[in-house]
Structure formats: C-alpha cells, structure tokens
Amino acid sequence: MKEIFVPLPERGHADGTKVPAGRLCVTRVGQGTPMVLLHGFPLSARMWKNQWESLADQYEFIAPDLRGFGKSSKLVAGWQVDDFARDISAMLDALEIPSAIICGLSLGGYIAFEFLAQFKDKVSGLVLCNTRANADEDSTARGRRLMAERVAREGTWFVHGGMVPKLLAQENRSRKFDPDVPSFFEVLTPDSIATTQLAMAERRDFTESLSTMDVPVHVIAGEGDIITRANEMQQMASEIPSSQFTLITGAGHLTPIENPSEFNQALSKGF
Ligand code: MLT
C-alpha cells in the first residue's frame, strides 16, 4: 500500500473564477483492473480499507481523500460536485491512468454520475454504492443549508451524534468496526462540512440519463440503509440498461464497512 500526494494544477471554474491548485492524498494498492474508490460524506479513503486489503490481487485501487477530507487540500468557497469530478480526472491524468472503473459510495456516487457525464472516455464501468441519481428534495436541501450555517456558528461537535446512527443499520449501531466509524468525525472541519453540504444541495439530477447510460454498472445497496433505501436503488438499477443489482445483508449505508465480506464478493464479481 502506498499513500502518495497527487498535485492538481490550477484550473478555470465554470463561472469564470479560478479553482486553485491543490493536492490529493491518494492510496494506491494492488494490481489488475484500475478502480477508483470515491468515499462518502464525511469520510475519507480509509473507509475502503477492507476492500484494498482483500482484493489487491484483482484490482489496482486508486483511493483519493476528496478535497476537504483526510490529508487532501482544503475546499474552496462555491465548490460544486462537478469540481470533485474534475479533481478525479486531473488525478487520473497525473497518474497516467487512461480509464478506470469508478466506484463511489453516496457522495462518491454523486461524483461518479458527474464524472461519467463529463469524462465518459475515462470510465470502463461504474459501481454505484448506497447512492442515488436524483437531486435533493427541497426539504433535504434546506436541511443541508441549516447544517452549513450551524457548523459555521458552533463547529462540528453535533455532526457525529446526528449522523452516525443514520449511517449504520439498526443492528450495527453499538458495534465497533474497523475502520472505526466515529473516528472519521474527529478530524472534520466546519468548512469542509458546510462547503460539501452546499455542493450536495445544488447537485444535478441524473434520473433522466439512467436509460442512456452505456457503460456496465453494478448497483450495490444495503438492506438496512435508511439514507438511500434498497428498493429505490433497485428501481434505479432497473432503469440502467447494462446493470446488475446486489443487496448486502446486515448493512446500512456503509456497506463496505458493515459487511465487508459480502461487499467484497460483490465487487470481485466484476460486471
Ligand atoms: C454520504 O454518505 O455521502 C451522504 O449520506 C450523502 C448525502 O448526504 O446525501
């Protein structure tokens, strides 16, 4: 396993402003088909530890800490979900990897949809875990704005208590996992929470593009996920022409952490 820092050059933003140069901390491990692992909110690449430890003989994993998380550079005001996708494209360019399977969980899945829309030539397949194609309902977007305001006022102390129970299946809430879920919350900054919440609130809706997706897609859901419900994910899979669907038992929103053995089996099946 190798942790490297990948420099990202300055680039133009859609609104004419500049996105400053930065760097992504990237875990690279394994050999085989390249697979980019995009973590959920508010985690980091470490959430994929059980995957890169078990499947390194099948995949070359490229697992970045997204900007704002882990050891990567800070986010900048006005950040959008497509900015994360542009970082991933720049990362692949810097690593000279022409194309890869893009595997994203939740926020990572939102980024995967953007990445496919903008950089299709770099996508050899998609693994969409515990995520959705649709944009936020008004009430969800409002909740995100409230959270952004509250962390700016009070710091991040309350985020852990509000989120951890929702991330795990009911039967897993008092279990300790490796990687430890609460530990991800100890290193968060108010700025990364607020900026990412606002970005997610403004993300695009990809529902209409499901039926025209022409890369192989594997949709993976958690039986006890209350954030992205399994039946909605199965419906999403049924709208994608070349797709398969896997339900992970005994897991909520964090399928790769809560049931790594079933999750790894699903990932190793390929397409
Ligand atoms: C995640 O796990 O990335 C979040 O649940 C995404 C979200 O808040 O929509």
Side-chain angles (χ1 to χ4, degrees), residues 40-41 105-107 110 144 200 227 253:
F41 172 84
L105 181 131
S106 203
L107 164 64
Y110 309 157
R144 294 192 195 279
M200 289 194 286
I227 298 178
H253 194 57

mmCIF file of all heavy atoms in Angstrom, residues 40-41 105-107 110 144 200 227 253, ligand 1:
data_model
loop_
_atom_site.group_PDB
_atom_site.id
_atom_site.type_symbol
_atom_site.label_atom_id
_atom_site.label_comp_id
_atom_site.label_asym_id
_atom_site.label_seq_id
_atom_site.Cartn_x
_atom_site.Cartn_y
_atom_site.Cartn_z
ATOM 1 N N GLY A 40 -17.688 8.351 0.798
ATOM 2 C CA GLY A 40 -18.910 9.095 1.122
ATOM 3 C C GLY A 40 -18.617 10.271 2.045
ATOM 4 O O GLY A 40 -17.476 10.484 2.480
ATOM 5 N N PHE A 41 -19.658 11.003 2.348
ATOM 6 C CA PHE A 41 -19.582 12.175 3.237
ATOM 7 C C PHE A 41 -19.922 11.741 4.651
ATOM 8 O O PHE A 41 -20.951 11.050 4.825
ATOM 9 C CB PHE A 41 -20.594 13.222 2.770
ATOM 10 C CG PHE A 41 -20.757 14.388 3.704
ATOM 11 C CD1 PHE A 41 -19.887 15.458 3.644
ATOM 12 C CD2 PHE A 41 -21.767 14.393 4.660
ATOM 13 C CE1 PHE A 41 -20.035 16.545 4.518
ATOM 14 C CE2 PHE A 41 -21.916 15.468 5.533
ATOM 15 C CZ PHE A 41 -21.047 16.532 5.452
ATOM 16 N N LEU A 105 -19.422 5.663 -3.237
ATOM 17 C CA LEU A 105 -20.469 5.439 -2.232
ATOM 18 C C LEU A 105 -21.112 6.772 -1.880
ATOM 19 O O LEU A 105 -20.416 7.722 -1.493
ATOM 20 C CB LEU A 105 -19.875 4.782 -0.985
ATOM 21 C CG LEU A 105 -20.911 4.481 0.114
ATOM 22 C CD1 LEU A 105 -20.785 3.049 0.614
ATOM 23 C CD2 LEU A 105 -20.825 5.453 1.271
ATOM 24 N N SER A 106 -22.403 6.843 -2.052
ATOM 25 C CA SER A 106 -23.207 8.000 -1.661
ATOM 26 C C SER A 106 -22.682 9.288 -2.301
ATOM 27 O O SER A 106 -22.770 9.418 -3.519
ATOM 28 C CB SER A 106 -23.278 8.078 -0.135
ATOM 29 O OG SER A 106 -24.414 8.820 0.217
ATOM 30 N N LEU A 107 -22.036 10.204 -1.564
ATOM 31 C CA LEU A 107 -21.435 11.370 -2.226
ATOM 32 C C LEU A 107 -20.517 10.898 -3.363
ATOM 33 O O LEU A 107 -20.512 11.483 -4.455
ATOM 34 C CB LEU A 107 -20.630 12.194 -1.209
ATOM 35 C CG LEU A 107 -19.640 13.211 -1.791
ATOM 36 C CD1 LEU A 107 -20.356 14.296 -2.585
ATOM 37 C CD2 LEU A 107 -18.791 13.828 -0.673
ATOM 38 N N TYR A 110 -22.582 10.384 -6.309
ATOM 39 C CA TYR A 110 -22.982 11.638 -6.985
ATOM 40 C C TYR A 110 -21.839 12.104 -7.895
ATOM 41 O O TYR A 110 -22.050 12.578 -9.013
ATOM 42 C CB TYR A 110 -23.290 12.766 -5.988
ATOM 43 C CG TYR A 110 -24.255 12.460 -4.858
ATOM 44 C CD1 TYR A 110 -24.236 13.207 -3.675
ATOM 45 C CD2 TYR A 110 -25.202 11.445 -4.972
ATOM 46 C CE1 TYR A 110 -25.115 12.945 -2.635
ATOM 47 C CE2 TYR A 110 -26.078 11.179 -3.925
ATOM 48 C CZ TYR A 110 -26.026 11.935 -2.759
ATOM 49 O OH TYR A 110 -26.886 11.676 -1.727
ATOM 50 N N ARG A 144 -29.587 20.710 4.613
ATOM 51 C CA ARG A 144 -28.140 20.853 4.382
ATOM 52 C C ARG A 144 -27.708 22.301 4.630
ATOM 53 O O ARG A 144 -26.645 22.554 5.195
ATOM 54 C CB ARG A 144 -27.805 20.467 2.945
ATOM 55 C CG ARG A 144 -28.038 19.000 2.618
ATOM 56 C CD ARG A 144 -27.382 18.716 1.289
ATOM 57 N NE ARG A 144 -27.799 17.480 0.667
ATOM 58 C CZ ARG A 144 -27.328 16.269 0.976
ATOM 59 N NH1 ARG A 144 -26.457 16.123 1.960
ATOM 60 N NH2 ARG A 144 -27.729 15.197 0.312
ATOM 61 N N MET A 200 -23.702 19.493 -2.274
ATOM 62 C CA MET A 200 -24.660 18.380 -2.486
ATOM 63 C C MET A 200 -26.072 18.930 -2.683
ATOM 64 O O MET A 200 -26.850 18.392 -3.478
ATOM 65 C CB MET A 200 -24.611 17.392 -1.314
ATOM 66 C CG MET A 200 -23.329 16.568 -1.297
ATOM 67 S SD MET A 200 -23.399 15.124 -0.193
ATOM 68 C CE MET A 200 -23.269 15.880 1.423
ATOM 69 N N ILE A 227 -30.808 5.924 4.479
ATOM 70 C CA ILE A 227 -30.492 7.154 3.729
ATOM 71 C C ILE A 227 -30.791 6.936 2.241
ATOM 72 O O ILE A 227 -31.477 7.752 1.614
ATOM 73 C CB ILE A 227 -29.012 7.570 3.940
ATOM 74 C CG1 ILE A 227 -28.757 7.870 5.423
ATOM 75 C CG2 ILE A 227 -28.676 8.790 3.081
ATOM 76 C CD1 ILE A 227 -27.324 8.239 5.755
ATOM 77 N N HIS A 253 -26.011 2.110 5.460
ATOM 78 C CA HIS A 253 -25.488 2.988 4.407
ATOM 79 C C HIS A 253 -24.012 2.698 4.107
ATOM 80 O O HIS A 253 -23.538 2.988 3.027
ATOM 81 C CB HIS A 253 -25.665 4.425 4.884
ATOM 82 C CG HIS A 253 -25.505 5.463 3.832
ATOM 83 N ND1 HIS A 253 -26.257 5.491 2.679
ATOM 84 C CD2 HIS A 253 -24.679 6.547 3.761
ATOM 85 C CE1 HIS A 253 -25.906 6.539 1.954
ATOM 86 N NE2 HIS A 253 -24.940 7.183 2.580
HETATM 87 C C1 MLT B 1 -22.903 10.196 2.123
HETATM 88 O O1 MLT B 1 -22.813 9.123 2.739
HETATM 89 O O2 MLT B 1 -22.047 10.547 1.302
HETATM 90 C C2 MLT B 1 -24.062 11.094 2.429
HETATM 91 O O3 MLT B 1 -25.064 10.375 3.061
HETATM 92 C C3 MLT B 1 -24.559 11.765 1.189
HETATM 93 C C4 MLT B 1 -25.722 12.680 1.435
HETATM 94 O O4 MLT B 1 -25.781 13.350 2.484
HETATM 95 O O5 MLT B 1 -26.588 12.772 0.549
#
